[in-house]
Amino acid sequence: MHEILIGEYLFLRLKEIGIQTVFGVPGDFELALLDLIEPLGLSWIGTPNELIGAYAADGYARVKGAGAVVTTFGPGELSALCGLGGAYCENVPVLHIVGYPTTQAQKSGKILHHTLGDGSYDHYNKMSSELSCATAVLKDPSMAVAEIDRVLNAMLYHSKPGYIGISEDVAYTKVSTEYLDTQIVRSLPPSAADSETKAVAEVIRVLESAKSPILVIDGGAARPSWAEHINPLIETLKIPSFSTVMGKGAADESSPYYHGVYSGAGSCPSGVIKAVDESDCILWLGNLPSDFNTGMFTNHVENTTIIDLQRFSVTIGTTEFDACINHVLPKLIEAFKSHAQLPQLKVNPVPTPDTTAVLPEKIEQDWLWDRMTSFLRAGDLVISETGTCQIGITATRFPSGCEGWTQAVYGSIGYAAGAAAGASIASKETGRFKRVVLVTGEGSLQLTAQAFSLLNRHGIVPVVFVANNKGYTVERYFRGWNASYNDVPMWDYSALFKAFSPDVPDAKGFKVHTAAELDALMSDPEFNSATYPQCVDMVMDYEDAPLAMKAVFEEKKRSSHRG
C-alpha cells in the first residue's frame, strides 16, 4: 500500500482543483507544512503581509476558479480575515490553510505565543467560521482526509472560502494514497431535470410575452463559474444588454446588443436609465442590489418583471425553481436558437469617443475614463479599485477580448493591488490574459502598495494608473470637502516600482499633470507595448469626480429634499 503525508494529500487536492500557486506569509507553526509545497510541483509565493496574500488568492481564484492562502495560527490568520471577508461576500472560493500548534500543545492548555493567553486554541477558528462556508481543525489523523475533502467540496459547491487548520504532527502523519481516487466535485451537480426544464420553459414564456425585455449582467452568483455563457446568451437573445458595476467587464462590450452600465442615477451612458427603467421584463444574472451596485439605491425597477438567476435558483416574481444558473444558461441558449427573435427595446447607441476634441488642460475624471477606452486592447484584464475608480471605469468601453472586475460590494480599499498581483500570476499560468491594467486611487494604494513587489516578479506585465487627487473622493461627497480625515500623505507613486523591486531595472514610472501629457503617454507605442512594469501617477483636481458619482449624490440630495 502506498502512503503519503496528510500535508501532501492536502496540497495534491489543491493541484486537482487547478491551483498551481499558493500564497501566504511563513510563520513558525506552518513551516513544516510549507516544506511540502514545492516538492509536489506547486509554487509558493510569499506575500508582504497576510492581507495582501488573501487579496492575491482572491484575484487568483477569479481567474483560475479557486485559490489558497497559508498563514500561521493567530496573528497571521487574523491579518488575512479582511481579505477573506471580501471573498465570502463576493462568492470567491479561497481556501485558508492555517498552521496550528501541535495537538499535544493544544491539549496541554499551556499558554503559547500567538494565543490569546487563556490556554484556549479555538478562538480564531470561531472567528473564521463566520467568513467560511466550512471549517475544520485537523486533530484526529484518522479523520483528516475526510475533513479536507469535506471543506474543499463545500468551498467549490458554495463558491465561498473554506478554512483548514493543521498542525505539524498531523501534517506529517501518513495515509493511504487510495483516498486520492475519490475526486473533488469541481462543478455544481445538475438540479432535478424536470425542475431545470420547467425553469427554462417559464423563462422563455415570460421573455416572449414581454414587450421590451432586456438582459442585465450582475455578479452576485459567483460570476466566474457562469461567465463563459454570457456572450453566447447575448448573441442568441439579441436583446439590449447591460451590466451593473459588479458585472462590468464580463460581457463583450463591442457587441451591438451591449449598451452600458446600469447603476441607477449613476448609469453610463445616461440613456441607459430610461432603457432599463422602461423595460417590462429583465433577465437578471446574479442580481445583487447593494448600494454601490444600484447607485445608492437610485434604481427604479420595482414594477418590472424580474427573472433572477442565482447560483442555486431561478426566481420569476414569487415563483422559485430549484435550478442552478450555470446549468440553466446553456439550456436557455440552446432552447432560444429555435425561437423567433424577441421584441427589441429601442436604445440610443453608445456615443463614440470624439478623438478630435480639444484636450482639457487638467486630467479631468470624465475625460480620463473616456480616454481609457482607446488605450485598452484585447487580452487586457482590468482591475479597478473600489470607490472613484470603480465608478469612473463604468464610462470606459472595453474592447472585445478585454475583461475586468471590481470589488463592488465588500469594498475594501487596497483590495485591487493585491488582487491584481494574484490575477497576474493566474493569467500567466492560463495564458488567458496578456496584460493586467490596475486602476486605483492613491488613498487605497497606500494600504497595499507592498503588492508592487509581487506585481512585477511572478506574473504578466502590469500597467498601473494611480488617480492622485490628494484624498478620498467618495468620503468628500459623503461628509464634506475640507474634513481633515480626507487628507492623504503625499507619495511619489511613479517611484513605487523602483522602490519595491530594485531588481527589475527596466520598471518605469511616470508623473503626469496635464491631459496632454497623459494623452501623449497613452499614445506612445513604447508605453503600449512595454515588456516591463509601468506606473503612472496622474495628478488630478481635488474637487473633480466622475459624472456618474456626481449624478448619484445629486439624486440623493434631491430625494432627501423631497422626503
Side-chain angles (χ1 to χ4, degrees), residues 101-112 115 118-121:
T102 64
T103 52
Q104 182 179 356
Q106 294 178 59
K107 290 176 182 177
S108 72
K110 292 180 179 179
I111 298 175
L112 296 186
T115 68
D118 60 359
S120 176
Y121 291 83

Side-chain angles (χ1 to χ4, degrees), residues 163-475:
Y163 175 102
I164 292 178
I166 180 170
S167 60
E168 178 180 349
D169 55 320
V170 173
Y172 276 70
T173 301
K174 290 185 176 182
V175 294
S176 171
T177 56
E178 292 178 354
Y179 290 112
L180 290 170
D181 294 339
T182 303
Q183 293 189 339
I184 301 296
V185 180
R186 296 187 61 181
S187 60
L188 285 178
S191 308
D194 61 333
S195 181
E196 290 184 358
T197 300
K198 289 178 182 177
V200 170
E202 185 63 9
V203 170
I204 292 174
R205 186 193 69 78
V206 173
L207 284 175
E208 289 188 329
S209 63
K211 295 180 180 178
S212 53
I214 63 171
L215 172 67
V216 174
I217 301 140
D218 212 332
R223 190 181 92 181
S225 65
W226 46 270
E228 63 182 296
H229 305 302
I230 292 174
N231 291 324
L233 181 67
I234 292 173
E235 297 306 311
T236 300
L237 295 183
K238 295 181 171 58
I239 58 177
S241 302
F242 309 85
S243 63
T244 62
V245 173
M246 194 176 188
K248 170 75 175 175
D252 182 350
E253 299 185 9
S254 68
S255 168
Y257 307 110
Y258 180 83
H259 295 282
V261 176
Y262 180 66
S263 181
S267 300
C268 187
S270 57
V272 168
I273 300 174
K274 184 174 184 293
V276 176
D277 289 353
E278 291 184 357
S279 169
D280 63 346
C281 180
I282 302 175
L283 179 61
W284 205 307
L285 308 184
N287 182 18
L288 208 168
S290 69
D291 50 4
F292 273 28
N293 214 25
T294 60
M296 303 301 290
F297 305 116
T298 58
N299 58 331
H300 299 290
V301 293
E302 304 86 6
N303 299 318
T304 304
T305 298
I306 295 178
I307 304 169
D308 185 8
L309 274 67
Q310 294 291 347
R311 184 164 178 79
F312 300 110
S313 65
V314 174
T315 304
I316 306 174
T318 58
T319 304
E320 182 175 312
F321 297 88
D322 177 19
C324 301
I325 184 172
N326 62 335
H327 292 301
V328 168
L329 287 183
K331 290 185 176 181
L332 190 62
I333 293 167
E334 194 59 35
F336 255 110
K337 288 180 180 178
S338 59
H339 283 250
Q341 186 171 324
L342 293 171
Q344 285 284 312
L345 174 70
K346 183 175 176 55
V347 183
N348 293 331
V350 178
T352 302
D354 184 1
T355 56
T356 64
V358 177
L359 291 175
E361 181 179 349
K362 298 178 180 179
I363 304 173
E364 297 176 355
Q365 289 275 353
D366 293 323
W367 172 83
L368 167 64
W369 304 114
D370 194 40
R371 177 65 180 83
M372 194 70 72
T373 296
S374 56
F375 170 75
L376 297 177
R377 64 193 187 206
D380 282 351
L381 175 62
V382 183
I383 301 176
S384 47
E385 183 59 86
T386 189
T388 306
C389 292
Q390 74 181 184
I391 300 301
I393 202 73
T394 62
T396 302
R397 186 84 165 190
F398 289 5
S400 181
C402 172
E403 299 179 28
W405 77 76
T406 183
Q407 196 184 66
V409 182
Y410 189 66
S412 178
I413 62 172
Y415 161 82
S424 174
I425 293 163
S427 297
K428 184 178 181 180
E429 291 176 1
T430 62
R432 183 174 165 191
F433 300 106
K434 304 304 179 187
R435 183 174 68 169
V436 164
V437 178
L438 167 63
V439 288
T440 183
E442 85 283 28
S444 297
L445 184 56
Q446 289 195 10
L447 275 74
T448 52
Q450 307 99 307
F452 273 45
S453 62
L454 302 177
L455 262 175
N456 58 1
R457 290 179 63 195
H458 304 287
I460 59 177
V461 174
V463 182
V464 182
F465 292 92
V466 183
N468 180 4
N469 62 350
K470 303 177 184 177
Y472 300 105
T473 305
V474 176
E475 283 70 14

Side-chain angles (χ1 to χ4, degrees), residues 33 70-74 77 96-100 163-167:
L33 188 64
V70 185
T71 67
T72 197
F73 175 80
E77 58 181 305
H96 186 191
I97 302 169
V98 180
Y100 266 63
Y163 175 102
I164 292 178
I166 180 170
S167 60

Side-chain angles (χ1 to χ4, degrees), residues 9-30:
Y9 180 89
L10 172 58
F11 290 122
L12 286 173
R13 282 306 205 193
L14 296 190
K15 286 184 68 175
E16 181 184 324
I17 63 174
I19 296 174
Q20 295 173 251
T21 298
V22 179
F23 301 91
V25 177
D28 51 359
F29 292 135
E30 65 181 288

